[in-house]
Amino acid sequence: MADHPRTLPLDLFGRNRGDLVDDDDVAAGMGPAINTAGLAGIFYRLTPNDLYRLRAAVTQADAAASLDALAGAVAPSSERLAAWLHRQPVGTSGASVAALLTTVINVLLTLYVVADEAAPPAQVAEVVDKARTGLLHEMPIPGRVSCFCGSGKRYKRCHGTAPR
């Protein structure tokens, strides 16, 4: 396996979090890694209302599994995010990008509820990086808060549990 960072788990909310896409999978035809450059800057500028609208758009377009469909769905809420989607490498899975965006949006909304203010830029960058690498158990979420996935469990009992 190469020394490149790993990308998003294919089944983001599944409990098999050790099943990550790496460079061997890319060579086997599973598609290129998601390029997250500039994504934190886009999310830092969004309000909670923008995040709720984006979550609805991503959820609706998720079934399409196409980056163009995803970009079209998010464009009314964020032209910058739509442009970021158009800059993804050819062959990038729309479903993987939708899972990444859903995770980042849900974590940022959770952080907003906990702190009653937007996350600082460094924390937004940390959330994007941890979502991209699949380190969901290391998100900057307090353990007693409800998990960002919507399971109803506390974060520490759900995605806050380190994989074994």
Side-chain angles (χ1 to χ4, degrees):
M1 215 164 24
D3 290 327
H4 295 275
R6 297 171 138 198
T7 58
L8 188 69
L10 293 177
D11 182 10
L12 189 64
F13 297 117
R15 298 311 294 180
N16 185 8
R17 289 176 280 171
D19 190 22
L20 300 177
V21 179
D22 57 26
D23 290 328
D24 294 336
D25 295 329
V26 171
M30 292 186 72
I34 299 169
N35 177 6
T36 57
L39 190 57
I42 294 168
F43 277 111
Y44 176 67
R45 292 170 171 59
L46 298 177
T47 67
N49 287 336
D50 293 335
L51 290 171
Y52 281 115
R53 281 192 300 272
L54 279 175
R55 182 170 65 183
V58 169
T59 302
Q60 180 183 20
D62 191 7
S66 152
L67 285 178
D68 288 334
L70 192 55
V74 302
S77 299
S78 174
E79 284 292 329
R80 293 182 67 212
L81 184 57
W84 177 84
L85 287 164
H86 286 298
R87 289 192 304 269
Q88 290 303 301
V90 173
T92 302
S93 164
S96 293
V97 173
L100 170 73
L101 294 177
T102 301
T103 300
V104 171
I105 291 167
N106 286 342
V107 170
L108 292 177
L109 285 169
T110 299
L111 291 172
Y112 188 85
V113 167
V114 169
D116 202 24
E117 64 182 13
Q123 197 172 37
V124 174
E126 178 184 5
V127 167
V128 169
D129 185 53
K130 290 189 185 307
R132 180 186 57 82
T133 57
L135 298 174
L136 304 180
H137 64 283
E138 294 182 6
M139 290 291 184
I141 299 174
R144 294 188 166 265
V145 174
S146 294
C147 190
F148 61 88
C149 72
S151 67
K153 297 179 184 178
R154 290 183 185 173
Y155 172 69
K156 70 180 179 181
R157 299 270 185 227
C158 191
H159 282 90
T161 304
R164 297 177 208 175

